[in-house]
Structures are given as C-alpha cells and as structure tokens.
C-alpha cells in the first residue's frame, strides 16, 4: 500500500508540476478544479507541486 501511494504522489507531481513547466505559468491551477473523494489532502499536495514547479520557472 505504501508503494502505491508513493507512485500515485509521484505521478501527481509529474503531471501537475510538468503542466506548470510546459505552460510556463504557475497560475495554471486557476483553470483546474481538483476533486478527490478518497484523499482530502490531495488538493493541498497538488497545489504544493505546482508552487514548487513555479519556483523553478
């Protein structure tokens, strides 16, 4: 189960962080709605991935 979670979070980091890098805009989350019924912390984690990627622009 722990490995599944790590892979899942790595995917989210690559997906959303990569989107910021590709779009070259850290405001990309302004046009995305994040919904998770399974893990209520995912929105916060995704926002962090986006912020971290935005710092590298």
């Amino acid at each position: 189960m722990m490995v599944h979670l790590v892979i899942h979070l790595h995917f989210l980091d690559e997906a959303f962080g990569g989107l910021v890098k590709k779009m070259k805009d850290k405001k990309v989350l302004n046009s995305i709605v994040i919904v998770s019924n399974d893990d209520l912390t995912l929105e916060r984690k995704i926002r962090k991935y986006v912020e971290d990627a935005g710092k590298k622009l």
Side-chain angles (χ1 to χ4, degrees), residues 16 19-21 23 25-32 50:
F16 287 95
L19 182 61
V20 170
K21 293 173 190 169
M23 301 296 289
D25 187 356
K26 58 187 171 185
K27 296 178 186 175
V28 74
L29 277 185
N30 292 342
S31 59
I32 297 174
V50 168

Side-chain angles (χ1 to χ4, degrees), residues 29-51:
L29 277 185
N30 292 342
S31 59
I32 297 174
V33 176
I34 302 165
V35 177
S36 173
N37 295 326
D38 297 327
D39 184 349
L40 301 178
T41 66
L42 282 181
E43 181 180 2
R44 181 173 39 93
K45 290 174 185 171
I46 290 170
R47 290 192 182 282
K48 175 127 176 57
Y49 299 145
V50 168
E51 288 174 16

